[in-house]
Amino acid sequence: MAGTEPRVQYLAGFSCPLGGLAAGKPRVLCHEAEVFLSTGSEFVYVYDQEGGLLTAVYQFPDQVWHLQLLALRRALYVLCARRGIYCLSLEPPTRSASQTNEDNEDGELPSPVITVDPDACVLPDTTLCAFTVHDDILVALVQGPAQWKMQLFERPGPGEDRWPGGLVGEVELSTCTPPAGVPGKLTAPCFLPVLCCVSPPGSGVPSGHPQGCGGFMLEEALFGLLFGADATLLESPVILCGLPDGQLCCVVLKGLVTSRSAPGDPKALVKILHHLEEAIVFIGALKTEPQAGEAVESMPPCEDVYSDCLVALGHHGRTLAVKASWNKSGNLVPELREYLLPGPVLCAACGGGSRMYHSTPSDLCVVDLALEGTPLNSQHPQCGAPGGLPPMLCPASLSICSVLTLSVLSGTPAGGTELLALSAKGCLMTCRLDLNSERPGPTRMTTENAGRKIKELLSGIGNVSERVSFLKKAVNQRNKALTSLNEAMNVSCALLSSREGPPPVSCTTTTAWSRLQLQDVLMATCLLENSSDFSLDQGWTLCIQVLTSSSALDLDSAGSAVTYTIPVDRLSPGSQREVTLPLGPSESGVLDLPVTVNCTLFYSLREVVGGALAPSDPLEDPFLEEQPLDLLPEQEGICLPLSRHTVDMLQCLRFPSLVPPHGHVACPLAPAADLVDTFLETCRAPSSDLAGPAALRAKYLPPSIASIRVSAELLRAALEDSHSGVPLCSATLQWLLAENAALDIVRAQALSSVQGVAPDGTDIHLIIQEVAVTDLCLAGPIQAVEIQVESSSLADMCRIHHAIVGRMQTMVMEQAARGSSPPDLRVQYLRQIHANHEALLREVQTLRDRLCTEDEAVSCATAQRLLQVYKQLRSPSLVLL
């Protein structure tokens, strides 16, 4: 479609912000040699094509949204954002300021900037969004809080007072969605509404419609079908309005004017023609059936052009074409057809013929709406009988990108078309098109071109197929991630809300001794059980933290912590998962008790959500590169505590002397002896016993003893449910060893005392007996149960004493919650015992301070006294009530 002369000629450049001009607001109009241009800023430029210079620059108080030129009256109407409508006179004296720089020798003189006087605002209104002028009527569209409103005024001229004739008529259109912003503050809409005036033939409109007049004339048949008999009989112009929500509606101008003198239903004045379901950015008209032997493109501008096709374009390329055509019954009906053109549409323009030009960010295209190959009036030879619309539109590329506003100039003598355009970079240019062929159809292709075109299409199909497969994979990943997140939310809510009753997901911990690599090892077994209705799949991890206490013999040593992470893979409802891990002893051979085992469920958000957001090939989805994983929450995941279990000395005791009952399955109460150790023991002489520290303490030092007294009534109340019918001393021993592997043997033999072995091999004796405590209660002796611990190792005795005291504290708190009250006690006796204990504690502090300053020879007596004081503290005269 290109001619021999250059297609594009750049006229001038205008300033634009970084990144280019924004679409929707720039306007360009042309009358004779003058070009009126707005870039969407506060300036309006007047450019002389013949001289190639700017002749004037008008500065307005805010952004310019719309221009309309009345060439016959030499007036330019300008819509200024949040201000109103201004009217400028284009007479030469108003722009003679350019003569002030005649003495400058530079050929390109700077154009003067003319600040528009506020008195030039003929219609001030901050809510005005669009307007058009027809004869002596100015039609304005304002945006209210919930509705669009169309208002009619008598057209003011330059220099006239504001609101000269006042409001002629008004009507409310459809509801509108207010733009997002600060409440109570006006915000510029994303898309401005489109207004234009449609006139019927013979309505008295002056011949010729110069660019920018905002109107066109339709043939009588289409005009009557679209707007009804009233508009046709009244020969009334009609205002077409394209709204940002996609509605295309019309208002009969004379009907709106007379509605003030004869008011009726205002809704009857508005007719909705169509709904494009996207913002309407252009309304125009075409002549698809030119008269025989005449080219409408080359008609002089003074000739009246009656268009026979109405078009409306949406922002995303949806196009509506309306034309009068014959139906099967031989009646004239409006034919409406929707097309889909490349988008988004930045601007559009219609020439005098059947071609429409529209711009996208990547190209400027032309489409022809004439029905090629169909003879006109083939079935109905009446004069003026119309044809139909083409079934589809084939846009032809003009290889010009980023055109923001467009104007079609008069045809060239050679039969071509000249366009005036403004690009996103602020370049004003003309584009000459050679349209000698009747229609811009596809050119004939050779075999070589056809083969290349087929290869390109096949390659494109392959790329699209790969893209579809990638998107399907991404969608599947995100669906799985959403499913996993939903189940994680359900599990979290179930766990956090299950304060009463069994938890939906539980983890129980048990301990047992095992023989690993010729060494006795205490093993912990954590049983994870899923009793909920949901499955624990990808992203779930069972975290087991083992916390060891500091050594009792080394007060400066700190406890250690080891965390084990076990991925939970497809733990369905009702399933269990068992994890076994060692608790000790450590490499030094010492088992520091107590040991705390914390079980926690961890759900990794980055593993689940991050994998779904991260593309397998970032080059195939550049949008995903803009969504880094840093957008995820700062937390790596969520933690749900399941259980906390403390392993103390009572659970780790072994009882080699106990014989299991007959028929009972033997359990490993003591570690199996190593064969080499057994052989050396048998070969060693009786007098060759090794004198280790533990053996020396057991042989020459008295055992360390600690005791605790508990009220018999308190124990009966706590143990009556689980140990009914069992002697109180036996029931107490069974309660203390409830988590020990030897519980079944102790229960079967009804023992009240037992001899056990600590993890380091030291003997420990547990003795439980009933005693009577006198001098404490006014009513007489109190029956109590005394729990006595004996061991040759002071450290082991302290550990088992600590374990017993912990169980007693829990029992006393549970019984206190039930409201049990203690008997009447002798307060003076209790005060005396308390004072004695305070004195012993002060003596302990004094003795410990003395040990730090005395030498080794003197400190022996101090250490013996300190042990005696500790013994008195471990055997108090008080009873747990």
Side-chain angles (χ1 to χ4, degrees):
M1 298 171 62
T4 57
E5 52 184 330
R7 292 181 53 195
V8 177
Q9 179 183 1
Y10 292 95
L11 302 179
F14 298 89
S15 62
C16 65
L18 186 64
L21 300 175
K25 306 297 191 302
R27 295 288 187 270
V28 59
L29 308 176
C30 184
H31 175 62
E32 296 178 351
E34 287 182 317
V35 176
F36 303 89
L37 182 141
S38 167
T39 61
S41 63
E42 66 272 21
F43 295 102
V44 172
Y45 304 91
V46 182
Y47 179 80
D48 186 4
Q49 292 189 75
E50 294 180 352
L53 292 175
L54 283 176
T55 57
V57 179
Y58 295 96
Q59 184 177 11
F60 289 83
D62 209 326
Q63 293 180 343
V64 174
W65 281 357
H66 187 61
L67 303 177
Q68 185 163 341
L69 174 65
L70 297 187
L72 299 180
R73 297 179 173 88
R74 299 294 297 171
L76 179 66
Y77 287 84
V78 180
L79 173 59
C80 185
R82 294 171 289 273
R83 300 288 181 172
I85 299 176
Y86 290 74
C87 183
L88 301 180
S89 175
L90 301 179
E91 295 299 330
T94 63
R95 292 180 281 113
S96 61
S98 60
Q99 299 175 359
T100 58
N101 293 325
E102 286 181 353
D103 296 335
N104 196 329
E105 297 180 357
D106 192 353
E108 295 185 0
L109 299 179
S111 58
V113 177
I114 303 173
T115 302
V116 178
D117 195 310
D119 293 336
C121 184
V122 295
L123 184 58
D125 193 340
T126 59
T127 61
L128 272 173
C129 292
F131 78 96
T132 186
V133 178
H134 178 79
D135 288 346
D136 295 329
I137 297 296
L138 187 148
V139 183
L141 192 66
V142 298
Q143 182 182 19
Q147 281 187 326
W148 295 99
K149 183 183 293 185
M150 183 181 295
Q151 297 178 339
L152 268 63
F153 301 89
E154 292 183 3
R155 181 185 60 81
E160 296 181 5
D161 296 334
R162 301 184 181 186
W163 305 78
L167 184 66
V168 176
E170 67 175 354
V171 65
E172 291 183 349
L173 304 182
S174 64
T175 59
C176 66
T177 302
V182 180
K185 184 178 180 181
L186 293 177
T187 306
C190 296
F191 297 99
L192 295 177
V194 181
L195 281 182
C196 65
C197 184
V198 182
S199 302
S203 59
V205 179
S207 299
H209 291 271
Q211 299 292 335
C213 68
F216 46 84
M217 288 186 289
L218 290 181
E219 286 188 346
E220 185 176 358
L222 180 59
F223 189 90
L225 290 173
L226 284 178
F227 310 123
D230 292 341
T232 305
L233 293 176
L234 292 173
E235 294 184 351
S236 169
V238 176
I239 303 299
L240 279 179
C241 180
L243 298 178
D245 63 353
Q247 293 189 61
L248 178 64
C249 54
C250 65
V251 177
V252 179
L253 195 60
K254 291 185 178 180
L256 182 57
V257 172
T258 58
S259 64
R260 294 179 63 87
S261 59
D265 185 8
K267 295 183 178 180
L269 301 174
V270 181
K271 180 180 180 181
I272 298 178
L273 300 179
H274 195 71
H275 203 306
L276 273 182
E277 299 181 357
E278 58 185 62
I280 297 178
V281 296
F282 174 76
I283 300 175
L286 299 171
K287 180 66 175 177
T288 61
E289 297 180 7
Q291 296 178 1
E294 293 187 12
V296 180
E297 298 283 353
S298 60
M299 279 187 179
C302 60
E303 295 289 339
D304 287 340
V305 178
Y306 299 146
S307 303
D308 58 11
C309 180
L310 178 69
V311 291
L313 264 71
H315 174 65
H316 296 290
R318 183 172 292 182
T319 303
L320 170 70
V322 185
K323 187 178 180 182
S325 62
W326 300 99
N327 62 5
K328 296 181 180 180
S329 303
N331 299 321
L332 277 176
V333 294
E335 178 184 359
L336 282 77
R337 190 180 293 271
E338 281 195 4
Y339 305 98
L340 187 59
L341 298 179
V345 176
L346 302 181
C347 64
C350 293
S354 59
R355 295 181 179 91
M356 180 179 64
Y357 307 88
H358 75 281
S359 172
T360 67
S362 60
D363 205 352
L364 177 62
C365 302
V366 55
V367 293
D368 196 337
L369 272 77
L371 188 59
E372 183 178 5
T374 302
L376 300 180
N377 310 331
S378 58
Q379 296 180 355
H380 302 275
Q382 301 96 322
C383 181
L389 289 169
M392 61 180 298
L393 298 181
C394 298
S397 173
L398 300 181
S399 301
I400 302 175
C401 64
S402 300
V403 172
L404 298 184
T405 181
L406 194 64
S407 179
V408 180
L409 304 182
S410 59
T412 61
T417 299
E418 186 175 5
L419 304 178
L420 185 64
L422 179 69
S423 69
K425 298 300 182 182
C427 294
L428 180 64
M429 54 189 170
T430 59
C431 177
R432 292 182 176 88
L433 306 178
D434 184 10
L435 303 176
N436 291 326
S437 59
E438 292 187 359
R439 286 170 180 84
T443 59
R444 293 182 178 271
M445 288 193 299
T446 62
T447 305
E448 182 181 356
N449 293 336
R452 183 171 64 253
K453 188 66 175 179
I454 291 174
K455 289 181 180 179
E456 293 177 356
L457 292 176
L458 291 177
S459 177
I461 292 173
N463 294 335
V464 171
S465 177
E466 293 179 2
R467 179 66 176 166
V468 168
S469 62
F470 169 77
L471 291 178
K472 285 183 178 179
K473 181 180 178 181
V475 169
N476 291 335
Q477 288 179 347
R478 296 182 184 186
N479 287 338
K480 291 180 180 179
L482 289 176
T483 303
S484 179
L485 287 174
N486 183 44
E487 292 185 351
M489 180 65 69
N490 292 329
V491 171
S492 302
C493 293
L495 275 175
L496 297 177
S497 61
S498 61
R499 298 181 179 179
E500 298 180 359
V505 180
S506 60
C507 188
T508 57
T509 303
T510 57
T511 56
W513 286 93
S514 180
R515 188 75 173 176
L516 296 176
Q517 299 179 355
L518 304 180
Q519 184 183 10
D520 294 337
V521 179
L522 182 64
M523 305 296 293
T525 301
C526 300
L527 183 63
L528 178 65
E529 185 175 2
N530 183 13
S531 303
S532 67
D533 298 331
F534 311 101
S535 178
L536 303 182
D537 292 326
Q538 178 189 6
W540 289 103
T541 303
L542 176 63
C543 299
I544 303 176
Q545 186 183 46
V546 179
L547 298 172
T548 59
S549 61
S550 60
S551 175
L553 301 179
D554 188 4
L555 298 179
D556 295 332
S557 63
S560 61
V562 180
T563 302
Y564 302 88
T565 58
I566 302 94
V568 179
D569 187 16
R570 295 182 181 178
L571 188 63
S572 57
S575 301
Q576 298 178 347
R577 186 70 46 82
E578 187 176 277
V579 179
T580 303
L581 47 91
L583 297 181
S586 60
E587 296 179 356
S588 60
V590 179
L591 179 61
D592 294 328
L593 294 174
V595 175
T596 302
V597 180
N598 293 323
C599 297
T600 305
L601 267 182
F602 177 77
Y603 183 76
S604 176
L605 289 174
R606 290 188 175 267
E607 179 182 351
V608 178
V609 182
L613 290 182
S616 58
D617 187 0
L619 296 178
E620 294 190 10
D621 200 344
F623 174 75
L624 293 179
E625 290 182 341
E626 301 176 1
Q627 306 289 335
L629 296 182
D630 295 340
L631 295 180
L632 290 174
E634 296 180 358
Q635 298 179 351
E636 295 285 340
I638 55 176
C639 293
L640 301 174
L642 295 180
S643 64
R644 179 184 180 91
H645 182 78
T646 301
V647 181
D648 53 26
M649 183 64 79
L650 287 175
Q651 301 177 39
C652 300
L653 288 178
R654 291 176 288 182
F655 304 94
S657 59
L658 295 181
V659 179
H662 179 71
H664 190 275
V665 179
C667 58
L669 300 178
D674 185 66
L675 296 179
V676 178
D677 294 341
T678 305
F679 174 76
L680 293 177
E681 288 291 338
T682 56
C683 296
R684 186 172 56 191
S687 59
S688 63
D689 293 342
L690 296 177
L696 292 177
R697 285 196 301 268
K699 185 174 183 179
Y700 297 104
L701 294 179
S704 300
I705 301 175
S707 62
I708 299 176
R709 293 181 180 180
V710 187
S711 168
E713 182 181 357
L714 179 63
L715 283 174
R716 289 192 185 95
L719 305 177
E720 61 180 355
D721 296 335
S722 57
H723 298 83
S724 59
V726 181
L728 185 59
C729 293
S730 299
T732 303
L733 183 60
Q734 296 173 23
W735 173 65
L736 293 175
L737 300 177
E739 297 176 313
N740 196 287
L743 174 63
D744 294 337
I745 302 177
V746 174
R747 183 186 292 115
Q749 300 182 10
L751 299 177
S752 60
S753 64
V754 67
Q755 183 79 23
V757 179
D760 59 356
T762 305
D763 291 338
I764 294 180
H765 195 192
L766 284 176
I767 303 172
I768 300 178
Q769 57 187 356
E770 294 191 29
V771 295
V773 180
T774 59
D775 301 332
L776 187 60
C777 183
L778 297 175
I782 297 177
Q783 296 298 322
V785 174
E786 184 181 53
I787 304 172
Q788 184 172 329
V789 182
E790 297 181 1
S791 177
S792 58
S793 171
L794 179 61
D796 289 338
M797 187 275 300
C798 291
R799 291 190 181 101
I800 197 167
H801 183 264
H802 179 269
I804 295 174
V805 169
R807 284 165 171 75
M808 291 299 173
Q809 288 177 344
T810 303
M811 180 190 67
V812 169
M813 293 178 64
E814 291 177 354
Q815 294 302 313
R818 297 182 180 180
S820 58
S821 58
D824 295 334
L825 304 177
R826 297 176 59 185
V827 179
Q828 188 64 30
Y829 181 71
L830 291 177
R831 290 177 178 174
Q832 183 63 39
I833 294 177
H834 179 68
N836 295 340
H837 276 267
E838 287 186 344
L840 291 175
L841 291 175
R842 286 194 296 269
E843 187 176 0
V844 167
Q845 187 63 39
T846 303
L847 293 174
R848 293 184 63 177
D849 294 341
R850 190 184 303 172
L851 283 175
C852 298
T853 58
E854 294 177 348
D855 55 8
E856 186 176 355
V858 183
S859 62
C860 181
T862 304
Q864 290 181 356
R865 176 56 189 166
L866 184 60
L867 290 176
Q868 292 176 3
V869 175
Y870 275 142
K871 183 177 180 181
Q872 295 177 20
L873 287 173
R874 288 193 300 270
S875 301
S877 302
L878 296 177
V879 181
L880 292 178
L881 300 176

